[in-house]
Amino acid sequence: MTGGNRGIGREVCHELATLGHTVLLTARSPEAAETAAKELGGDVVPLRLDVTSEEDIAGAAAAVAERYGRLDVLVNNAAITYDTWQGGASADLNVVREAAETNLYGPWRLIQVLLPLLRESAHPRIVNVSSEAASLTNMGGGTPAYGTTKVALNALTRMLAAELRGDGVLVNAICPGWVATDMGGPGGRPVSEGADGVVWAATLPDDGPTGGFFRDGRPLPW
C-alpha cells in the first residue's frame, strides 16, 4: 500500500489487517510509516517508500522478496497535487510534470519492478486508486495536473489488465469518491466508505472483473 500513513491509504491498511491480511504500509517517511503501523496494530509492517525514487522501489522489492517471496496485492494509492487553483489553458506544466512523477510514473515503476513477485502469488491483484475527475465522459475544466495524470493512470490500468489477463492478474482503477481527507478537504464522506471500494478490488475472487473503473463496486464511465 503506497501512501499508507494517512487518509484513505491508512484506512485501507486497517481494513485489510482486520480481515487477516499481512499489510505492508509504506510512506515516504519511515517514521510516519512506523507510527501509523503501531497505531493500527495487527499484522501491519512499516516500509519506507517514495514512489518517485527508483532506489526506494528497488529496496522495497528486495525486502518483499526476502521476507515473503511473493506479493498478493499492490495498491497504488500515493498521489499529489489536487490543483484546484489551475486551469488547463494557463497551467504551470512544471506542476503537471511533478504530479505525473507520483501519480503515473510512480505506480508504473512499482508495477514493473514488483510484477515478478505478483506472478508468484496464486491470486495477484493490482489496484490503482483513481478519481472520477479522470472520467473523460464527465470531465470539465480545472485540476489539470491531477486530472490528466489520473486519466493516464486509468489508461495504464486498461493496458495492463489486457496484457496480464493471461497471468491471472486482476487490474482495476478505483474511485473512492469525495472523501474527507487532507487532500479532499472537509465535507466529504467518511474515509471508511471511500476505502471500502479499494478493499473490494484488493480482495476480488479469481473470476472478478479486470480492466474496470469502479466506485463502491459499481462501474464508472471512462
Side-chain angles (χ1 to χ4, degrees):
M1 162 64 71
T2 66
N5 61 301
R6 61 183 182 177
I8 293 169
R10 179 189 173 102
E11 179 61 22
V12 171
C13 289
H14 168 68
E15 292 187 18
L16 288 173
T18 300
L19 291 173
H21 298 279
T22 297
V23 178
L24 305 181
L25 184 158
T26 79
R28 287 178 294 180
S29 161
E31 293 80 13
E34 289 169 8
T35 298
K38 287 179 182 177
E39 290 174 351
L40 290 176
D43 195 3
V44 180
V45 180
L47 193 64
R48 170 188 165 81
L49 177 60
D50 181 340
V51 300
T52 68
S53 166
E54 293 185 11
E55 181 179 357
D56 274 14
I57 290 173
V64 174
E66 180 180 355
R67 296 179 195 176
Y68 307 105
R70 74 178 197 278
L71 181 65
D72 297 316
V73 182
L74 171 61
V75 180
N76 288 309
N77 170 69
I80 62 170
T81 317
Y82 190 59
D83 51 331
T84 55
W85 66 92
Q86 295 203 107
S90 57
D92 182 341
L93 296 186
N94 289 321
V95 172
V96 178
R97 290 188 186 97
E98 183 181 22
E101 284 296 328
T102 295
N103 300 355
L104 173 63
Y105 300 125
W108 204 336
R109 289 188 192 99
L110 267 174
I111 291 166
Q112 288 183 332
V113 172
L114 293 174
L115 191 54
L117 290 168
L118 284 162
R119 285 184 167 128
E120 291 297 320
S121 171
H123 311 284
R125 309 285 181 261
I126 297 172
V127 183
N128 294 324
V129 179
S130 184
S131 169
E132 195 171 6
S135 170
L136 295 175
T137 302
N138 299 318
M139 184 170 288
T143 62
Y146 189 79
T148 57
T149 55
K150 289 296 189 178
V151 167
L153 183 66
N154 280 2
L156 180 65
T157 299
R158 293 283 287 177
M159 186 182 301
L160 293 175
E163 292 180 5
L164 301 176
R165 188 183 299 269
D167 295 332
V169 184
L170 304 186
V171 189
N172 290 290
I174 301 299
C175 169
W178 178 28
V179 176
T181 63
D182 290 346
M183 178 177 283
R189 64 180 180 164
V191 175
S192 60
E193 292 184 14
D196 286 347
V198 179
V199 172
W200 169 81
T203 57
L204 283 171
D206 290 342
D207 61 353
T210 191
F213 184 25
F214 300 95
R215 183 174 61 231
D216 300 334
R218 295 186 290 273
L220 287 174
W222 292 102

